[in-house]
Amino acid sequence: ARAQWVKEVASRYASCFSKGKVAWHTIGREAEYPVVRSDNGEFGDVHWLLRTMVMQDSSLSPVFEQGPRFKEMGNQRLVMVKDKDGSAWTAEVGAGTVEIIVGPCHDLYELNHKHQSALERLKEAAKATAPKLWVLGLGMQPFSPPTSELLIDRQRYTCLLYTSPSPRDS
């Protein structure tokens, strides 16, 4: 019985792989960027930045937050914007970080082109806000302390807030 079971499991596992030559794989990228206000260095409101992108380009598709906290309040925040080519801009973890998602692409050149294009669209929207927002690079963070108001209403992010040490504890 055990030998038969092992054969069945092995057969199911082997059936998941292609029998012939595998086609080229695709590649995508997710990259997070902190966003800060130009006037004081505190977090920039990514939800407003996403709304600005939609105002600049009506072909973009908005996605609104669906968490229980916002349903109770009868309010929804814009948390993602998608374009017809598969790129997306989303509020990640909280109101001060935006994630650019691109792909699938056939090669690294296409991926780089799509990502740079998505980043430029984001920067154009950031320039149009008041006060102006800055999209920061790797390792830079706003001066704002982490608070529950900054978090997107998703259980996994709320857990981060309560399990991470407070800046006051350092």
Side-chain angles (χ1 to χ4, degrees):
R2 180 172 166 79
Q4 181 61 30
W5 178 81
V6 169
K7 269 186 169 178
E8 286 176 22
V9 170
S11 176
R12 272 189 275 146
Y13 180 75
S15 72
C16 295
F17 294 93
S18 177
K19 302 285 187 240
K21 185 177 178 181
V22 176
W24 286 100
H25 294 279
T26 58
I27 186 170
R29 179 177 184 191
E30 295 182 0
E32 294 181 11
Y33 295 92
V35 176
V36 298
R37 293 170 49 134
S38 61
D39 62 341
N40 62 12
E42 293 191 359
F43 84 91
D45 189 345
V46 171
H47 309 289
W48 182 250
L49 178 57
L50 296 176
R51 192 171 298 279
T52 303
M53 290 182 74
V54 172
M55 289 189 293
Q56 290 178 335
D57 183 353
S58 61
S59 72
L60 295 174
S61 301
V63 177
F64 293 90
E65 189 163 38
Q66 300 296 319
R69 185 173 74 194
F70 285 90
K71 284 184 180 175
E72 284 175 17
M73 291 170 30
N75 190 7
Q76 292 181 321
R77 288 192 293 189
L78 181 62
V79 293
M80 181 184 289
V81 174
K82 297 178 181 181
D83 72 9
K84 60 182 175 19
D85 297 323
S87 294
W89 299 261
T90 181
E92 183 63 24
V93 181
T97 304
V98 65
E99 181 175 53
I100 297 175
I101 304 165
V102 295
C105 300
H106 297 290
D107 56 42
L108 292 173
Y109 298 106
E110 180 186 6
L111 177 68
N112 182 55
H113 174 74
K114 283 187 173 183
H115 181 79
Q116 290 303 320
S117 175
L119 183 56
E120 285 306 312
R121 289 173 84 177
L122 182 69
K123 288 179 179 180
E124 286 302 313
K127 287 179 192 175
T129 61
K132 189 177 355 179
L133 298 177
W134 294 104
V135 179
L136 302 180
L138 180 67
M140 298 177 175
Q141 295 297 322
F143 295 129
S144 306
T147 63
S148 61
E149 290 77 33
L150 290 178
L151 287 178
I152 294 174
D153 194 17
R154 293 187 188 140
Q155 188 175 13
R156 64 182 179 265
Y157 297 143
T158 305
C159 290
L160 282 174
L161 181 68
Y162 295 109
T163 58
S164 299
S166 166
R168 295 178 303 273
D169 297 338
S170 318

